[in-house]
């Protein structure tokens, strides 16, 4: 362990308060505590960066390659390799084409439903049994993708290929698209869970001697950062890792594009920068306020997108016997699944409990043929849309108009 002097990266200070908006050319100072928030997520100590979220970047790339492997197989009319995908999920047997992922020492499986709060301390209704069940859910999607890729034409009760315009999609027998359930589902069960119930959990940030070490700037052995700084960065990396445009970052942009939600991108980004600057300055009150803001704003993204895709799907039900709606409805299904991993500030519980989420998901695919039961589907979609919108305080119309 070493004890180093704090050095933030060069900051341009303005007269705004910490809760004000800032543009790309400005930084924001805390008028009370006399420290500045950088305009970009950049922090240094002794002229060396203190930011590292390489593990999170690896997991983003892992999920991207898993999704792409299913997409390529569908496009080429080849069979999806369940074994290769399963090996990617657990990062075994050098399954990734990106060799650096194979040697990264990281995997998606061990971070699935594995957060400090929900699945170690068992807050929010989590349990070890649920963790195993969620991992099994994603393994099942890999099997369903394999079954659908074997050449049959998708139809009610039959897993197979569906031609959606120029795109080939793989549907399970109930009409859900396994690739989308896997992608959006892991965005919740891995990425959101790790962010709000793991790395930004006060139980993790302040665990053991983390707070006193951060206050005294005792650095993690062999590194330029304190353990608390690093945990915060890892939470940030699950959104902005790699090139800042993948998965949740992309959907934040999409929700932000609507006038009804057009501050959410800045709110989340500023909260991450403010919280990190507060950690450097030992201002834990401000840090905790930013945690609550991130929890609330990040939960809004799957909620809005779920309602958007539910309503988009409803509008397509009369086209081609409804199958054109199934891609979007699969996204809606998976964003609803993600709501189970949100964390409502002040509650240590999700906005929707596991029981509530399971009931919503079961409602979508209830009946013999799931989504193929077109005649009974539209009323369900409206009911679910209203249920989600009411819980978050927006209207169905507001969410349905997001691009």
């Amino acid at each position: 362990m070493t004890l180093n002097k704090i050095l933030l990266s060069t900051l341009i200070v303005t007269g705004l308060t910490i809760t004000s908006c800032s543009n790309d050319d400005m930084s924001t100072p805390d008028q009370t505590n006399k420290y500045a928030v950088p305009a970009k997520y950049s922090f240094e100590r002794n002229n060396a960066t203190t930011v590292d979220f390489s593990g999170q970047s690896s997991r983003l790339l892992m999920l991207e390659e898993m999704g792409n492997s299913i997409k390529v197989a569908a496009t080429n009319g080849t069979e999806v390799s369940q074994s290769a995908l399963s090996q990617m999920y657990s990062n075994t047997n050098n399954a990734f084409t990106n060799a650096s992922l194979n040697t990264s020492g990281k995997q998606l499986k061990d971070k699935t439903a594995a957060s400090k709060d929900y699945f170690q301390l068992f807050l929010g209704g989590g349990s070890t049994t649920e963790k195993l069940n969620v991992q099994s859910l994603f393994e099942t999607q890999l099997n369903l993708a394999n079954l659908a890729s074997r050449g049959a034409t998708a139809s009610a009760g039959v897993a197979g290929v569906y031609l959606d315009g120029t795109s080939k999609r793989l549907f399970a027998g109930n009409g859900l698209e396994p690739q989308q359930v896997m992608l959006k589902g892991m965005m919740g069960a891995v990425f959101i869970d790790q962010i709000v119930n793991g790395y930004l959990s006060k139980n993790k940030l302040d665990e053991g001697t983390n707070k006193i070490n951060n206050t005294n700037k005792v650095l993690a052995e062999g590194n330029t950062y304190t353990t608390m700084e690093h945990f915060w960065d890892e939470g940030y990396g699950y959104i902005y890792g790699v090139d800042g445009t993948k998965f949740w970052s992309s959907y934040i942009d999409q929700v932000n594009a609507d006038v009804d939600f057009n501050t959410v991108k800045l709110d989340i980004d500023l909260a991450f920068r403010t919280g990190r600057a507060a950690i450097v300055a030992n201002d834990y009150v401000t840090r905790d306020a930013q945690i609550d803001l991130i929890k609330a704003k990040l939960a809004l993204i799957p909620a809005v997108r779920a309602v958007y895709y539910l309503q988009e799907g409803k509008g397509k039900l009369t086209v081609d016997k409804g199958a054109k709606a199934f891609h979007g409805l699969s996204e809606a299904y998976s964003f609803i699944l993600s709501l189970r991993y949100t964390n409502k500030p002040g509650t240590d519980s999700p906005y929707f409990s596991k029981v509530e989420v399971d009931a919503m998901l079961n409602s979508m695919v209830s009946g013999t043929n799931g989504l193929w039961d077109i005649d009974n589907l539209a009323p369900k979609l409206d009911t679910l849309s209203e249920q989600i919108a009411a819980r978050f305080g927006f209207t169905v119309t507001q969410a349905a108009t997001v691009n």
Side-chain angles (χ1 to χ4, degrees):
M1 300 280 184
T2 60
L3 186 64
N4 272 348
K5 182 179 179 181
I6 307 168
L7 178 62
L8 279 173
S9 57
T10 303
L11 305 173
I12 306 170
V13 179
T14 73
L16 301 176
T17 65
I18 204 167
T19 57
S20 298
C21 296
S22 62
N23 63 36
D24 289 341
D25 299 317
M26 296 183 178
S27 302
T28 307
D30 183 319
Q31 299 286 25
T32 302
N33 296 290
K34 307 301 181 185
Y35 61 87
V37 177
K40 303 292 184 182
Y41 199 88
S42 176
F43 298 87
E44 294 183 354
R45 177 174 287 116
N46 295 340
N47 296 318
T49 183
T50 61
V51 177
D52 177 18
F53 43 77
S54 57
Q56 288 62 47
S57 297
S58 292
R59 291 188 182 93
L60 294 179
L61 291 172
M62 287 174 177
L63 186 57
E64 181 179 51
E65 185 165 334
M66 289 180 71
N68 284 343
S69 68
I70 297 176
K71 181 179 179 180
V72 169
T75 300
N76 294 338
T78 57
E79 187 171 318
V80 170
S81 173
Q82 180 183 353
S83 61
L85 285 166
S86 184
Q87 289 164 14
M88 289 182 195
Y89 186 37
S90 60
N91 194 10
T92 52
N93 295 328
N94 298 318
F96 290 103
T97 59
N98 182 341
S100 67
L101 298 180
N102 296 323
T103 58
S104 66
K106 307 299 180 182
Q107 59 171 278
L108 287 163
K109 187 171 184 177
D110 67 357
K111 292 297 185 180
T112 299
S115 64
K116 178 74 173 179
D117 282 359
Y118 282 9
F119 300 99
Q120 294 177 35
L121 298 177
F122 303 119
L123 305 176
S127 68
T128 299
T129 298
E130 183 185 356
K131 172 187 173 71
L132 296 175
N133 287 340
V134 175
Q135 290 176 344
S136 178
L137 166 69
F138 294 127
E139 294 277 11
T140 297
Q141 302 313 307
L142 310 183
N143 177 54
L144 291 172
N146 169 264
L147 291 174
S149 69
R150 294 182 180 180
T153 299
S155 60
V158 178
V161 181
Y162 171 73
L163 184 61
D164 185 1
T166 59
S167 300
K168 291 180 180 178
R169 303 194 182 279
L170 303 178
F171 290 154
N174 63 1
L176 287 175
E177 190 174 355
Q179 184 215 35
Q180 290 302 309
V181 177
M182 180 193 73
L183 287 174
K184 273 65 177 188
M186 283 198 211
M187 284 169 59
V190 180
F191 302 162
I192 279 189
D193 185 48
Q194 285 294 303
I195 295 167
V196 300
N197 308 313
Y199 290 115
L200 268 60
S201 161
K202 284 178 275 187
N203 293 311
K204 187 175 182 72
L205 288 169
D206 297 343
E207 187 175 25
T209 60
N210 286 353
K211 182 176 277 189
I212 190 169
N213 285 348
N214 185 75
T215 299
N216 293 314
K217 297 303 169 249
V218 178
L219 307 184
E221 188 170 0
N223 291 291
T224 61
Y225 46 71
T226 70
T227 297
M228 187 186 293
E229 290 170 345
H230 185 50
F231 284 164
W232 189 273
D233 294 339
E234 290 183 297
Y236 176 89
Y238 273 120
I239 299 178
Y240 301 106
V242 190
D243 57 8
T245 64
K246 299 185 188 302
F247 299 115
W248 285 121
S249 179
S250 172
Y251 285 102
I252 289 170
D253 285 346
Q254 291 176 41
V255 172
N256 195 78
D258 184 84
V259 66
D260 295 303
F261 308 100
N262 64 1
T263 66
V264 68
K265 180 177 181 177
L266 178 59
D267 290 341
I268 293 173
D269 177 68
L270 180 58
F272 267 111
R273 289 184 281 117
T274 300
R276 183 57 157 80
I279 288 172
V280 175
N282 305 331
D283 177 4
Y284 303 114
V285 172
T286 296
R287 180 204 70 175
D288 292 351
Q290 305 315 303
I291 291 172
D292 284 350
L293 194 154
I294 291 167
K295 286 180 177 180
K297 297 295 183 178
L298 187 56
L300 186 66
I301 307 306
V304 171
R305 294 313 284 178
V307 173
Y308 171 80
Y309 284 116
L310 288 167
Q311 291 301 303
E312 179 197 61
K314 177 187 169 184
K316 292 182 177 180
L317 288 180
T318 58
V319 182
D320 197 14
K321 297 183 181 179
K324 284 189 178 297
F326 293 173
H327 173 68
L329 291 178
S330 296
E331 294 191 85
Y333 181 96
S334 306
F335 280 127
I336 292 172
L337 191 157
S338 291
L339 294 176
R340 186 269 174 273
Y341 304 97
T342 59
N343 191 318
K344 188 175 182 179
T347 69
D348 282 326
S349 297
Y351 281 81
F352 283 94
S353 69
K354 180 183 184 302
V355 171
E356 290 176 310
V357 167
D358 287 348
M360 289 192 287
L361 298 179
N362 290 335
S363 172
M364 284 189 71
V365 294
S366 61
T368 303
N369 296 313
L371 298 180
W372 290 98
D373 188 10
I374 305 301
D375 293 339
N376 298 314
L377 190 54
K380 298 178 187 177
L381 305 183
D382 281 336
T383 298
L384 293 173
S385 296
E386 293 288 354
Q387 185 178 357
I388 295 168
R391 186 69 56 92
F392 281 86
F394 58 79
T395 69
V396 172
T397 300
Q398 286 175 316
T401 57
V402 176
N403 295 321

